[in-house]
């Protein structure tokens, strides 16, 4: 049949080969379809998928130690916790600068809070030492100012560290504050000549710019003096090419003064502030969390911790998350099973009744589905509480006495009952749509071949309804495992789920990293189930109403 | 109700009367507990029900007359025992007992099972229906119970003795008045009606376009795209909410600083955008479901007759998929209208919605106004449900899919 095609390819009406013309048409069709989808896809990707990915990324993110204590982290690299001793002087020198900068930026308490998750007690260490470190800087500042009062002026520092172009632009901007503020540019080579001081000034300049102020006219931080002294001590003759000509004598004078005095012991100063600095554990924590990424939150989320002997299980009284995950899973499973037990007969009845009757009864299933979740939750609260309707009826019927009213709310029972009710329509609807497709003649055929009603149901009907059971169960389980509102309102402390813990860490304890790690695990489970659901049912086959 | 002539009528004394006596004694137990004489109540109930069965089966073959008579007699008994409420309960008891009596004595209980079915099978058949009835009761009762409680004159969450006695003083509209006058409730109500419709419009317009795109025959990566678009329904709300919390707080700051918008306005924009994402899966699902049954040759015919793609979309395709779009819109609306978690995280106090207010009300200072709000919302959901059902039927009719 193909010899004509081989001889000369088929042509479309306009003379192009048919194959090419068809490909082009197909491509146009694909592009049109994508163009229709694109706005929504972009909207969902930007406002939903990326934010969630970004949030989950917080579970491994750990920039805070690295960003707040950059010099300390560098100095700490050579320290070995196995030595059993706190690090030596150089680390404390770097810490002094870092901590003063952090205190000025009000970051030291945040860092303390972060490290406190890993090593309780660190928070107060940072909080108290912030003030002490500031004192060190002030002493150095006073000494420098004693040599030359110019050191007290912001302009002096700006002239040393800012590039000439930036200084000119900044002076012009500061005069009338019109136009946009020039971004700070560091003087070439200064970060090699005076590394610590340059780092401190850079942080200062960024902070001043953020507040819309000129770094040159802002009051300088005391830490500059400390950092400069340290720089000059380790290198008394900084490269003159990197220094501005006007300020070079000033620096030389300071350098001479620093060389003249006995070195200040930072280690002793810090140990005097707080004994915690002498403990190996403190430094171990800082070193362990100094890399920009960490598995610490995930370890925490599964009740593990980093210990001197590697990763270990937390002490029993601190193990809460595995238990909470297990409880969430177990209760979701129980809810799914009770939904199945209650939903199966109803779906069977709906599928086997006359259309008019079943449509009427369907309304009884759909009404709860359409009723606000909070209405249903408040109804259960009204029904289940100790002075509530069910207890009142039981007392009235003398089934329980007034003192022995049943506790059915603020515990697992409350969560179970309310959530089974709330999720039941999600079980009935998929079951119904599958059962509707099973011909009733099969059952009759089985019975006429001699099967008992039970055998006929179990061997013939039930296997055909399994896709419905799968779809409904996975849907209910997925919805149950991530529930927040109902457990929060009727679950008390015993009936809450992992979602409630995540919400607690996001809004109350502010341990976002741990919340993200817990969320990532939960999402992983849900996505796995979602994938299974997609394989079994296909997402396009989800039916509503 | 027609009964096949070959269904044997059961024996009156051996079947109907004993069962009726059991039903009556259960009823009598309830009355007995209320009055404090349990044994007397059980015995009296059993005797009354048995007598009713005998009288109805032997002397009153006319169903309607029998049932009205039974209701009247029991209403009288109830009135003597418990006043107005007793009379109402008596009418109900009479209607139920007379129904059971006829159902048993005429053999109607065997309708629906084959004639050859054994007694056990008949029992199971009816027991199964009773079980299903109880499950339906479990589904509906919590929602229905809220309605009378909303009219409670006291600030209680349960029935007061006055309410049970059907005393008009036990009922009042004060919780509804509070709902409609207290700014703690009117403001959230207004917010809900600002946020939900706008979020719906966004999700419906984008969702319908995308659903039409997805239903074309050649879409690269269709499965993956579908999975992404459905994901807001699957991802646990708390995770969506926290993700959006960080994203929208950044976006809000940007809008306030760079665009100079007021804090209030950006707050609404944030919540509306967040809610519209949550509504999208529902629109996609319902509209794609409608498009599955859409006859593609109709658009081709339109094109053949000279209509451009836009014209054929609005004149041919749109009217046919409209029911799907509207029910998707209702789903999106109710999703936003009923949403708490995301608005708790993304919104600020000035965007407080009705569910948010209910949530805080239920968690902190539980006020009976919540029940009035709940009653209003139940009425609202009944309206929505009716609309969706009507639309579904209309859609099926339009597409000629089912004769109902």
């Amino acid at each position: 049949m193909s010899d004509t095609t081989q001889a000369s390819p088929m042509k479309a009406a306009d003379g192009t080969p048919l194959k090419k013309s068809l490909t082009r048409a197909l491509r146009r069709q694909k592009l049109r379809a994508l163009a229709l989808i694109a706005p929504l896809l972009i909207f969902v990707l930007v406002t939903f998928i990326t934010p969630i990915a970004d949030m989950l990324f917080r579970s491994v993110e750990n920039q805070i130690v690295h960003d707040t204590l950059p010099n300390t982290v560098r100095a700490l690299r050579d320290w070995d916790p196995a030595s059993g001793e706190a690090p030596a002087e150089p680390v404390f020198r770097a810490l002094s600068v870092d901590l003063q900068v952090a205190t000025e930026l009000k970051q030291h308490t945040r860092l303390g809070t972060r490290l406190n998750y890993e090593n309780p007690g660190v928070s107060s260490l940072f909080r108290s030492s912030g003030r002490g470190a500031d004192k060190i800087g002030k002493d150095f500042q006073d000494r420098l100012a004693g040599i030359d009062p110019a050191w007290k002026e912001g302009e002096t520092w700006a002239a040393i560290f800012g590039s000439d172009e930036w200084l000119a632009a900044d002076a012009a901007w500061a005069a009338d504050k019109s136009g946009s503020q020039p971004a700070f540019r560091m003087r070439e080579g200064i970060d090699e000549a005076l590394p610590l001081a340059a780092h401190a000034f850079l942080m200062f300049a960024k902070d001043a710019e953020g507040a819309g102020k000129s770094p040159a006219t802002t009051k300088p931080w005391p830490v500059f003096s400390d950092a400069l002294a340290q720089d000059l001590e380790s290198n008394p003759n900084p490269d003159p090419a990197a220094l501005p000509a006007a300020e070079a004598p000033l620096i030389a004078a300071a350098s001479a003064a620093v060389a003249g005095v006995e070195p200040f012991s930072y280690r002793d100063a810090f140990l005097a502030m707080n004994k915690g600095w002498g403990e190996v554990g403190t430094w171990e924590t800082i070193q362990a969390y100094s890399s920009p990424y960490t598995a610490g939150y995930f370890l925490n989320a599964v009740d593990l911790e980093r210990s001197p002997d590697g990763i270990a299980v937390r002490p029993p009284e601190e193990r809460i998350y595995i238990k909470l995950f297990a409880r969430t899973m177990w209760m979701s499973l129980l809810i799914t099973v009770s939904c199945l037990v209650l939903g199966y007969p109803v779906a069977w009845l709906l599928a086997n009744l006359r259309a008019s009757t079943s449509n009427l009864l369907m309304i009884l299933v759909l009404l709860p589905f359409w009723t606000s979740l909070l209405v249903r939750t408040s109804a259960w609260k009204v029904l289940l509480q100790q002075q509530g309707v069910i207890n009142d009826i039981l007392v009235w019927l003398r089934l329980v006495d007034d003192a022995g009213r049943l506790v059915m709310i603020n515990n697992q029972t409350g969560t179970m009952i309310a959530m089974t009710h709330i999720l039941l329509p999600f079980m009935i609807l998929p079951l119904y749509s599958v059962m509707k497709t099973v011909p009733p003649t099969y059952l009759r055929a089985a019975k006429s071949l001699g099967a008992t009603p039970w055998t006929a149901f179990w061997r013939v009907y039930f296997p055909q309804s399994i896709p419905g059971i799968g779809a409904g169960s996975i849907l209910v389980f997925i919805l149950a495992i991530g529930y927040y509102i109902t457990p929060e309102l009727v679950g008390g402390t015993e009936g809450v789920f992992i979602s409630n813990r995540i919400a607690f860490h996001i809004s109350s304890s502010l341990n976002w990293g741990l919340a993200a790690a817990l969320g990532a695990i939960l999402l992983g489970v849900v996505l796995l189930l979602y994938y299974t659901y997609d394989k079994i049912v296909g997402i396009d086959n989800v039916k509503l109403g | 109700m027609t009964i096949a002539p070959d269904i044997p009528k059961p024996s009156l004394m051996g079947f109907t009367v004993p069962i009726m006596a059991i039903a009556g004694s259960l009823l009598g137990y309830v009355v007995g507990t209320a009055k404090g004489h349990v044994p007397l109540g059980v015995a009296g109930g059993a005797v009354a029900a048995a007598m009713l069965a005998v009288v109805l089966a032997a002397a009153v073959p006319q169903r309607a007359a029998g049932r009205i008579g039974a209701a009247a007699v029991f209403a009288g008994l109830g009135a003597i025992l418990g006043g107005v409420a007793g009379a109402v309960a008596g009418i109900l008891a009479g209607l139920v007992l007379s129904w059971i009596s006829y159902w048993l004595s005429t053999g109607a209980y065997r309708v629906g099972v084959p004639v050859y079915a054994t007694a056990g099978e008949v029992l199971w058949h009816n027991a199964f229906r009773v079980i299903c009835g109880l499950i339906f009761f479990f589904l509906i009762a919590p929602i229905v119970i809220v309605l009378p409680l909303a009219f409670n004159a006291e600030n209680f969450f349960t029935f007061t003795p006055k309410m049970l006695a059907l005393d008009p003083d036990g009922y009042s509209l004060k919780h509804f008045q509070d709902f409609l006058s207290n700014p703690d409730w009117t403001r959230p109500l207004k917010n809900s009606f600002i946020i939900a419709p706008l979020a719906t419009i966004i999700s419906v317009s984008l969702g319908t376009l995308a659903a039409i795109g997805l239903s074309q025959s050649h879409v690269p990566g269709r499965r993956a795209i579908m999975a992404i678009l459905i994901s807001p329904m699957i991802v646990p709300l708390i995770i969506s909410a926290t993700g959006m919390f960080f994203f929208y707080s950044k976006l809000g700051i940007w809008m306030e600083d760079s665009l100079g918008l007021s804090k209030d306005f950006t707050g609404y924009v944030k919540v509306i955008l967040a809610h519209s994402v949550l509504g999208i899966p529902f629109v996609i699902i319902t509209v794609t479901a409608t498009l599955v049954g859409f006859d593609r040759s109709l658009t081709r015919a339109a094109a053949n007759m000279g209509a451009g793609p836009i014209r054929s979309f609005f004149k041919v395709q749109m009217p046919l998929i409209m029911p799907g779009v509207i029910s998707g819109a209702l789903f999106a609306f109710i999703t936003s209208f009923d949403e708490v978690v995301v608005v708790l995280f993304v919104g600020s106090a000035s965007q407080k919605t009705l569910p948010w207010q209910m949530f805080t009300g239920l968690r902190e200072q539980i006020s009976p106004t919540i029940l009035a709000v709940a009653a209003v919302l139940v009425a609202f959901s009944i309206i929505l449900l009716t609309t969706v059902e009507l639309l579904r039927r209309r859609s099926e009719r339009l597409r000629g899919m089912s004769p109902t």
Side-chain angles (χ1 to χ4, degrees):
Chain A
M1 95 180 234
S2 58
D3 42 37
T4 40
T5 35
Q6 268 166 6
S8 66
M10 237 190 242
K11 297 266 174 70
D14 59 350
T16 49
L18 183 63
K19 198 173 171 192
K20 203 168 145 197
S21 168
L22 279 177
T23 329
R24 196 189 295 153
L26 186 64
R27 196 168 57 225
R28 212 167 35 227
Q29 212 176 358
K30 278 186 185 172
L31 282 178
R32 200 173 53 204
L34 282 182
L36 285 170
I37 302 168
L40 181 65
L41 191 62
I42 293 168
F43 181 55
V44 173
L45 281 176
V46 171
T47 68
F48 188 77
I49 305 286
T50 339
I52 289 181
D54 182 52
M55 190 274 290
L56 295 180
F57 188 61
R58 283 168 196 269
S59 60
V60 290
E61 213 174 28
N62 187 45
Q63 262 94 351
I64 184 162
V65 180
H66 191 262
D67 286 357
T68 321
L69 304 176
N71 300 304
T72 317
V73 166
R74 210 175 304 124
L76 204 56
R77 220 168 269 163
D78 304 327
W79 176 69
D80 179 15
S83 66
E85 274 176 50
E89 182 71 10
V91 173
F92 283 96
R93 296 179 140 232
L95 178 70
S96 168
V97 174
D98 284 341
L99 200 56
Q100 287 178 61
V101 170
T103 311
E104 296 288 354
L105 296 172
K106 304 196 170 48
Q107 299 245 322
H108 66 301
T109 48
R110 268 188 58 205
L111 175 65
T113 314
R114 165 67 188 94
L115 289 176
N116 208 51
Y117 298 146
E118 317 298 343
N119 185 353
V122 174
S123 179
S124 65
L125 181 64
F126 274 92
R127 206 179 301 270
S128 65
S129 307
R131 290 185 296 271
D134 213 39
K135 176 98 182 7
I136 301 181
K138 288 232 171 67
D139 288 348
F140 274 98
Q141 192 180 33
D142 291 345
R143 274 159 63 187
L144 268 190
I147 300 165
D148 192 320
W151 288 118
K152 275 207 131 155
E153 302 305 321
E155 281 99 338
T156 317
W157 295 100
I160 296 175
F161 296 105
S163 75
D164 293 332
E165 303 87 67
W166 171 78
L167 282 168
D170 186 64
W173 174 79
D176 54 357
K177 299 247 170 166
S178 68
S180 60
Q181 188 174 5
F184 174 72
R185 294 284 299 279
M186 202 180 284
R187 179 178 295 279
E188 198 132 330
I190 196 78
D191 53 339
E192 305 215 347
L194 304 168
L196 284 175
H199 162 76
F201 191 83
L202 181 65
M203 302 306 283
F204 166 76
K206 277 191 196 155
D207 186 49
E209 274 173 13
K213 292 189 285 191
S214 163
T217 54
T218 312
K219 192 166 161 283
W221 290 348
V223 59
F224 298 161
S225 311
D226 182 5
L228 183 71
Q230 287 193 31
D231 284 335
L232 290 176
E233 199 181 322
S234 51
N235 177 15
N237 297 308
D239 180 10
L243 302 178
E247 274 77 18
L250 210 58
I251 294 172
S255 179
V258 167
V261 295
E262 195 177 318
F264 174 74
S265 171
Y266 289 86
R267 194 171 192 267
D268 294 348
F270 271 97
L271 284 177
M273 269 180 239
N274 194 317
K275 278 208 275 302
W277 293 115
E279 279 167 25
V280 180
T282 311
W283 291 101
E284 214 169 36
T285 311
I286 295 178
Q287 196 183 39
Y289 289 92
S290 61
S291 74
Y293 299 99
T294 176
Y297 292 120
F298 273 102
L299 293 179
N300 200 340
V302 291
D303 290 340
L304 298 175
E305 67 181 347
R306 219 191 282 262
S307 72
D309 328 317
I311 292 165
V313 182
R314 279 177 184 266
E317 68 276 8
E318 284 177 30
R319 278 180 225 157
I320 49 173
Y321 295 111
I322 291 283
K323 214 169 83 188
L324 198 55
F325 270 115
R327 183 206 289 167
T328 307
M329 293 281 202
W330 173 241
M331 286 185 65
S332 303
L333 197 69
L334 283 183
I335 290 165
T336 311
V337 170
S338 43
C339 278
L340 183 63
V341 169
L342 294 180
Y344 200 90
V346 167
W348 194 85
L349 189 75
L350 287 172
N352 288 293
L353 280 177
R354 265 181 303 141
S356 56
T357 327
S358 90
N359 275 344
L360 205 66
L361 287 177
M362 197 55 153
I363 290 176
L364 299 184
V365 178
L366 290 176
L367 184 62
F369 185 74
W370 279 96
T371 306
S372 165
L373 172 68
L374 281 149
V375 170
R376 286 181 279 166
T377 310
S378 33
W380 280 112
K381 207 157 179 159
V382 167
L383 286 171
L384 295 177
Q385 52 185 317
Q386 285 204 282
Q387 301 301 324
V389 176
I390 291 182
N391 265 315
D392 278 357
I393 293 177
L394 291 178
V395 168
W396 185 70
L397 287 179
R398 311 268 164 93
L399 291 176
V400 297
D401 63 25
D402 203 26
R405 285 172 177 259
L406 303 179
V407 184
M408 292 180 289
I409 205 163
N410 294 335
N411 55 17
Q412 298 195 359
T413 324
T415 309
M416 287 275 309
I417 297 177
M419 283 187 58
T420 304
H421 177 251
I422 287 164
L423 296 175
L424 190 50
F426 290 97
M427 178 65 88
I428 295 178
L429 294 176
L431 273 175
Y432 169 74
S433 63
V434 168
M435 288 181 178
K436 199 79 189 145
T437 63
V438 180
T441 42
Y442 287 8
L443 262 186
R444 287 209 288 275
K447 280 184 197 161
S448 75
L449 290 170
T452 61
W454 169 250
T455 319
F457 166 76
W458 185 245
R459 301 280 298 276
V460 176
Y461 195 89
F462 184 76
Q464 296 186 76
S465 67
I466 283 179
I469 296 178
S473 302
I474 296 179
L475 189 61
V476 168
F477 193 82
I478 287 179
L479 292 172
I481 203 176
Y483 240 66
Y484 168 68
I485 295 294
T486 309
E488 181 79 21
L489 290 176
V490 299
T493 49
E494 277 301 297
V496 292
F497 283 7
I498 197 74
S499 289
N500 304 79
R501 198 71 196 168
I502 296 176
F504 166 76
H505 281 311
I506 290 283
S507 51
S508 305
S509 83
L510 303 183
N511 189 350
W512 292 342
L514 182 57
L518 293 171
I521 297 174
L522 175 63
L523 188 64
V525 174
V526 168
L527 288 183
L528 197 70
L529 288 165
Y530 181 34
Y531 178 78
T532 329
Y533 185 85
D534 189 22
K535 284 281 157 211
I536 296 179
V537 198
I539 352 168
D540 332 16
N541 294 330
V542 183
K543 293 260 178 2
L544 294 169
Chain B
M1 194 173 289
T2 55
I3 296 155
D6 53 346
I7 290 183
K9 283 204 176 176
S11 123
L12 183 63
M13 283 302 157
F15 183 74
T16 311
V17 169
I19 296 180
M20 281 294 287
I22 293 171
S25 61
L26 286 176
L27 200 68
Y29 173 77
V30 175
V31 179
T33 351
K35 290 280 145 197
H37 294 288
V38 178
L40 192 64
V42 172
V47 171
M51 275 164 60
L52 180 74
V54 174
V55 172
L56 290 184
V60 195
Q62 303 91 341
R63 183 170 268 270
R67 295 198 64 189
I68 292 171
V73 171
F74 276 82
L77 281 174
I80 295 166
L81 287 169
V84 184
V88 173
I91 292 175
L92 290 176
L95 289 175
V96 170
L97 284 177
S98 59
W99 185 86
I100 298 176
S101 173
Y102 280 117
W103 184 66
L104 292 170
S105 64
T106 55
Y109 65 94
R110 288 187 78 103
V111 171
V113 280
V115 240
Y116 51 80
T118 61
E121 281 168 8
V122 176
L123 182 66
W124 166 244
H125 176 82
N126 288 310
F128 181 74
R129 271 151 205 253
V130 171
I131 293 170
C132 287
L134 290 176
I135 299 170
F136 279 120
F137 179 78
F138 171 71
L139 271 170
I140 287 296
I143 297 170
V144 174
I145 210 94
V146 166
L147 299 175
L149 281 177
F151 294 93
N152 197 339
E154 307 288 334
N155 288 345
F156 292 143
F157 284 89
T158 185
F159 290 100
T160 56
K162 275 189 176 177
M163 290 181 90
L164 291 173
L166 295 179
D167 184 343
D169 290 347
Y171 295 86
S172 89
L173 288 171
K174 69 174 196 177
H175 302 313
F176 290 91
Q177 270 165 1
D178 185 47
F179 172 43
L180 293 175
S181 59
N182 187 343
D184 281 353
W185 288 102
T186 49
R187 205 185 145 85
L189 181 68
K190 208 179 97 200
N191 278 339
S192 277
F193 276 108
I194 294 174
I195 290 164
L198 290 174
T200 309
I201 290 173
I202 296 176
S203 29
V204 168
S205 43
L206 292 179
T208 309
L209 277 186
I212 291 170
L214 279 169
S215 67
Q216 313 268 313
S217 37
H218 301 283
V219 185
R222 183 168 189 278
R223 240 183 137 76
I225 293 175
M226 197 74 177
I228 290 174
L229 295 185
I230 302 288
S231 62
M233 193 171 88
I234 299 296
V235 174
L237 268 178
I238 192 75
I239 295 177
S240 316
T242 45
M244 288 176 171
F245 166 67
F246 293 114
F247 173 73
Y248 280 110
S249 59
K250 270 184 261 169
L251 185 75
I253 292 169
W254 179 78
M255 282 198 289
E256 278 163 39
D257 290 355
S258 313
L259 306 180
L261 300 172
S262 80
K263 203 169 165 59
D264 233 28
F265 182 76
T266 53
Y268 282 109
V269 171
K270 278 151 57 176
V271 177
I272 288 168
L273 288 178
H275 274 184
S276 59
V277 171
L278 297 181
I280 278 165
F282 299 98
V283 178
I284 296 274
I285 288 172
T286 49
V287 179
T288 13
T290 334
L291 282 167
V292 168
F294 179 74
D295 187 354
R296 209 149 279 286
S297 54
L298 292 175
T299 40
R300 267 185 239 128
N304 219 351
M305 290 171 180
I310 295 178
R311 192 181 162 86
S312 82
F313 172 72
F314 279 108
K315 290 279 174 190
V316 179
Q317 198 166 14
M318 199 63 184
L320 282 170
I321 63 169
M322 208 54 194
V325 175
I326 294 178
S327 64
L330 287 175
F331 269 107
F333 181 83
I334 202 80
T335 308
S336 162
F337 196 76
D338 195 18
E339 208 290 322
V340 204
V341 190
V342 168
V343 76
L344 265 175
F345 278 85
V346 174
S348 57
S350 54
Q351 284 87 43
K352 195 175 244 193
T353 58
L354 208 50
W356 181 351
Q357 178 66 24
M358 288 181 81
F359 179 70
T360 39
L362 282 171
R363 200 161 58 164
E364 284 139 28
Q365 21 85 30
I366 182 155
S367 115
T369 312
I370 287 175
L371 292 182
V373 182
V376 171
L377 289 181
V378 169
F380 189 63
S381 60
I382 292 176
I383 296 171
L384 282 181
L385 172 63
T386 322
T387 322
V388 175
E389 272 301 291
L390 291 177
L391 281 171
R392 193 179 57 84
R393 290 182 191 181
R394 183 182 148 79
S395 156
E396 285 183 351
R397 223 178 25 247
L398 270 181
R399 291 183 292 150
M401 276 174 70
S402 102
T404 44

